[in-house]
Amino acid sequence: DFQNSARRERWETLISVKQLRRQPDVRHVEPNYRLHTALEPNDSAYDLQWHYPLIGLPAAWDVTIGDPGIVVAVIDTGILSDHPDLAGQLVAGYDFVRDPAADGDGIDPDPEDPGNRANPGNSRFHGTHVAGTVAARGNNRIGVSGVAWGARVMPLRALDDGGGSLSGEGFSQMNQALYRELRERGTIVVASAGNEATRAPAYPAAYDGVISVAAVDAQREIASYSNRGTSIDISAPGGDGSTDFNGDGYPDGILSTGGSADDGGVEFAYTFLNGTSM
């Protein structure tokens, strides 16, 4: 029973192939497969995103670019919400940084990243960079493309530019129970493995139920800074700014959305960063 003619034609083709293969005067038979062009975004700096072929892009985009119903919470330093490559890619987030000195107002529903308030020139806008890798708008002729630009990002500010208490702690039984509960409720938790070049488990990445991600360089070798060992679940490009293995004239860091800051304010930009976060 076929619900449409295309399926019937496919079935009839396969039957014909099998019948022809039985003929003694036929050397070889195979279907005449229909080919399709592979999706590549037209973003102006896409050619500098050398790391995407290492994770199966652009081939995976022929299957999906993500879905707006999928929300990725980026728990980091917050977001530059007006960055042009993140327009329309965000859902409401939250700021969990208690210290009012970090952004002037303490805990509130505003996850905007103020950068390094004490020394604006040292601002990294780490959360914006990670969010861009997740879902920077693709096919908009500017900047870069995110891995799943059809999905949406929820920026959750848990760190300021100087850091915070999000990772690096030892094992906590309460935290382990929390991550298991999240997994059981259908939330996939992913964490960077850490940049200390050690085999010792680093948390929260090493918790059971958390996907721990190490970093490789442009030659698919473990990055010199990346943690490693039995607690690692998977590796992905994290970059190495000290090399230009592919000869494109830029360091082999990971290019994504970012910003630059001085005493006059913040300018939106695209920056290369390295690390297991990337």
Side-chain angles (χ1 to χ4, degrees):
D1 181 21
F2 296 95
Q3 298 180 358
N4 58 60
S5 59
R7 290 188 178 181
R8 173 173 290 279
E9 290 176 0
R10 177 181 174 84
W11 178 80
E12 291 175 345
T13 299
L14 294 176
I15 293 299
S16 298
V17 167
K18 289 182 178 180
Q19 291 174 340
L20 287 169
R21 282 175 177 168
R22 297 191 185 103
Q23 302 299 318
D25 56 345
V26 175
R27 178 179 297 175
H28 184 70
V29 180
E30 64 183 20
N32 183 17
Y33 293 103
R34 184 180 296 275
L35 303 180
H36 302 275
T37 57
L39 175 61
E40 287 201 16
N42 58 20
D43 303 81
S44 57
Y46 170 69
D47 289 344
L48 298 178
Q49 294 184 283
W50 56 266
H51 51 294
Y52 279 173
L54 273 64
I55 58 172
L57 298 176
W61 285 326
D62 291 333
V63 179
T64 181
I65 59 169
D67 185 278
I70 301 299
V71 176
V72 181
V74 175
I75 307 172
D76 211 295
T77 64
I79 197 75
L80 293 175
S81 59
D82 290 332
H83 194 291
D85 236 352
L86 296 175
Q89 302 300 93
L90 307 176
V91 300
Y94 211 84
D95 176 9
F96 294 95
V97 177
R98 184 179 301 276
D99 184 1
D103 66 350
D105 48 17
I107 296 176
D108 60 24
D110 179 13
E112 198 71 21
D113 186 348
N116 189 322
R117 289 163 63 88
N119 190 348
N122 287 342
S123 299
R124 294 202 309 154
F125 301 107
H126 187 281
T128 297
H129 196 278
V130 173
T133 291
V134 174
R137 183 178 291 276
N139 254 6
N140 63 348
R141 299 186 181 276
I142 64 169
V144 297
S145 172
V147 171
W149 74 77
R152 298 294 177 263
V153 167
M154 177 187 292
L156 299 178
R157 185 169 180 261
L159 306 169
D160 65 20
D161 207 65
S165 58
L166 181 61
S167 66
E169 80 278 10
F171 178 84
S172 162
Q173 189 61 53
M174 288 190 297
N175 285 347
Q176 176 61 90
L178 171 63
Y179 287 119
R180 284 178 177 156
E181 181 180 353
L182 288 171
R183 188 67 174 263
E184 290 170 359
R185 291 179 177 228
T187 296
I188 298 173
V189 182
V190 183
S192 58
N195 304 322
E196 292 76 40
T198 179
R199 291 184 176 275
Y203 298 92
Y207 283 119
D208 182 39
V210 176
I211 298 174
S212 175
V213 185
V216 297
D217 60 22
Q219 301 182 67
R220 299 175 183 261
E221 300 291 337
I222 189 74
S224 60
Y225 53 80
S226 178
N227 288 359
R228 55 209 71 193
T230 57
S231 65
I232 305 301
D233 296 303
I234 195 170
S235 61
D240 181 354
S242 67
T243 66
D244 181 16
F245 177 73
N246 58 15
D248 62 5
Y250 292 89
D252 290 336
I254 303 301
L255 182 64
S256 186
T257 48
S260 61
D262 56 28
D263 292 335
V266 176
E267 290 187 4
F268 304 121
Y270 298 90
T271 56
F272 291 95
L273 292 180
N274 312 311
T276 53
S277 292
M278 281 62 256

